[in-house]
Amino acid sequence: RFSITSTSSQSPAASQSNTMTNKFHYYAATGRGNAIRLALSAANIPFEDEYPQGGFPPTAEAKDLWRSIGKNTTTNIPMLQMTDGRVFTQSSAVLRAVARIGGLMPTDEGELY
């Protein structure tokens, strides 16, 4: 288990609570989760990796945990659990959410395209 944290005050994510850490649920592998980990780091959004006990394939207990966190009925990961209670699932959606939260995604329609 490893954590990447940042204390940069220039990121919009700096207003996040320091009492709890965002949790990124994925396997101990790069896969689809790697781009999300890189975006979290680039955006200075503190997070902690949460690996399912037992690795891949996930156990029934791991799937139950994922369901309980964000009502993730498909038990798909990657899943990002934010300190404010929001939960994001599906790799592309999580990546876009991180980019928006961290100020990495342009807001101008021309630049966004």
Side-chain angles (χ1 to χ4, degrees):
R1 179 188 259 201
F2 68 94
S3 299
I4 299 175
T5 58
S6 173
T7 57
S8 171
S9 61
Q10 294 179 348
S11 169
S15 63
Q16 304 247 354
S17 169
N18 289 332
T19 59
M20 199 172 126
T21 303
N22 301 304
K23 298 196 183 304
F24 181 61
H25 299 265
Y26 197 63
Y27 303 106
T30 54
R32 297 205 179 259
N34 200 46
I36 298 166
R37 287 184 186 108
L38 292 172
L40 285 162
S41 296
N44 292 317
I45 299 174
F47 75 98
E48 187 174 281
D49 272 302
E50 291 286 325
Y51 303 122
Q53 191 171 25
F56 184 84
T59 63
E61 292 82 15
K63 289 181 179 183
D64 288 343
L65 172 66
W66 297 334
R67 279 189 198 99
S68 71
I69 291 171
K71 308 307 178 239
N72 185 2
T73 58
T74 62
T75 68
N76 286 341
I77 57 172
M79 176 171 54
L80 180 61
Q81 182 181 13
M82 303 297 287
T83 58
D84 63 6
R86 293 178 295 167
V87 176
F88 301 99
T89 61
Q90 302 294 331
S91 56
S92 294
V94 175
L95 187 57
R96 285 191 307 272
V98 168
R100 285 186 187 106
I101 292 166
L104 301 175
M105 184 175 279
T107 55
D108 177 80
E109 282 192 35
E111 291 180 16
L112 187 59
Y113 178 73

